[in-house]
Amino acid sequence: AKPVVFLVNVHQEDIIKGKNKWFMKIKQWVDTHAPGSKILPVSVSHENKILAMDSERLQELQKNSTRYKSVLPKVVHEGYRALRL
């Protein structure tokens, strides 16, 4: 079977808190139907906000808070890792 990385779209606050009420149910399903697959929580609305920001403003915000950190590099890294590239 081909490797799979599941992206779970969650609210921005769930990313910050590190938990989501549906995540464990999704993980159980993935563990049953695609064992060994990676699951990554992503807030698409948050990523859109980050991409729309001026780069200087974003750098300034990132110095003071992890709240403005994008998970896209992790998504790309896990995709390459799953494909063994």
Side-chain angles (χ1 to χ4, degrees):
K2 293 182 180 183
V4 178
V5 177
F6 289 88
L7 302 179
V8 179
N9 189 25
V10 298
H11 191 273
Q12 175 184 350
E13 294 302 317
D14 293 343
I15 295 282
I16 294 165
K17 289 187 294 189
K19 60 182 179 178
N20 175 278
K21 68 180 182 179
W22 298 106
F23 194 80
M24 287 310 295
K25 290 182 182 186
I26 294 169
K27 182 178 180 344
Q28 289 172 349
W29 185 92
V30 170
D31 289 346
T32 300
H33 295 91
S37 295
K38 186 77 175 182
I39 307 168
L40 298 175
V42 176
S43 173
V44 175
S45 63
H46 180 64
E47 294 297 330
N48 280 334
K49 289 176 189 174
I50 290 173
L51 289 172
M53 283 186 187
D54 176 82
S55 63
E56 289 178 16
R57 173 77 175 135
L58 180 59
Q59 287 177 354
E60 180 183 314
L61 291 170
Q62 287 175 335
K63 286 179 186 177
N64 301 319
S65 174
T66 59
R67 203 178 173 122
Y68 296 95
K69 185 176 179 184
S70 175
V71 296
L72 293 181
K74 185 174 184 176
V75 170
V76 171
H77 175 76
E78 290 299 332
Y80 274 96
R81 189 168 159 206
L83 296 172
R84 296 185 178 110
L85 296 176

